Amino acid sequence: MIWSKLANAWERGAAYAAAFHRQHGHLAIPATVKLDDYAVGAWMRRQRKADNLNPDQAAKLDGLDELWRLEPDWNRSYRRLLAYLAAGGTLDGPVNRTGGEADPTFRPGTWLRKQDKARTDGKLTQQQTALLDALHRHTETVAGCPPAHPAVPAHPGRDGRPPRSEERQ
């Protein structure tokens, strides 16, 4: 195998990203974050914008966090919403409600209203739209209402996204 400076640099960045993931459980790394003086946040930002990742590189990042391509602030807010729902929160209710005792500064209703506006304005990516739609379908199913789109499974995959074909039962 021929040594490649670029491949070595990519593997170094991936190792720092994996270390961040071990500490925080996600790759929604702010651009300014450094680990051991390595700019892992800037490295992740470049990966999100890169259109030349090879399949192995993309698979390595997907293996750590399937949501790594999402903009970090949106990703972290989405994860806060998932934690709020897991703690018994709901998608309906007052807009100014808090994220509960575990996350009192998070306002799920406000965040969801902003996402509805962003969707209307065409500012959400297809992945963001699919993640939010999966949450709504899951909530409707749990509440006993039929899902909005019966052809799409009502329960999201393990990461909140619609399940891939191998996850469907």
Side-chain angles (χ1 to χ4, degrees), residues 25-155:
H26 61 79
L27 292 179
I29 308 171
T32 57
V33 169
K34 291 185 176 187
L35 287 179
D36 298 330
D37 289 327
Y38 182 83
V40 66
W43 184 86
M44 274 307 304
R45 183 184 61 219
R46 287 191 303 275
Q47 304 321 299
R48 280 186 212 96
K49 294 181 179 197
D51 56 0
N52 61 344
L53 290 180
N54 68 45
D56 290 337
Q57 291 170 332
K60 185 175 267 190
L61 294 173
D62 281 340
L64 292 172
D65 179 358
E66 290 184 338
L67 303 180
W68 68 270
R69 290 177 180 87
L70 293 171
E71 188 277 322
D73 289 337
W74 195 96
N75 189 335
R76 284 188 297 276
S77 292
Y78 175 74
R79 290 172 188 277
R80 290 172 84 181
L81 179 64
L82 291 179
Y84 165 76
L85 294 172
T90 63
L91 294 178
D92 56 358
V95 171
N96 64 348
R97 67 191 179 277
T98 67
E101 291 179 22
D103 195 356
T105 61
F106 183 55
R107 303 271 189 244
T110 301
W111 189 77
L112 285 167
R113 186 171 55 184
K114 287 179 184 177
Q115 302 320 300
D116 286 341
K117 180 167 179 11
R119 179 195 304 251
T120 300
D121 294 345
K123 294 181 179 177
L124 293 181
T125 66
Q126 288 181 344
Q127 185 180 17
Q128 290 168 326
T129 299
L131 288 167
L132 293 172
D133 286 348
L135 284 176
H136 287 287
R137 285 191 303 275
H138 176 73
T139 300
E140 290 168 353
T141 302
V142 169
C145 301
H149 305 288
V152 179
H155 297 283

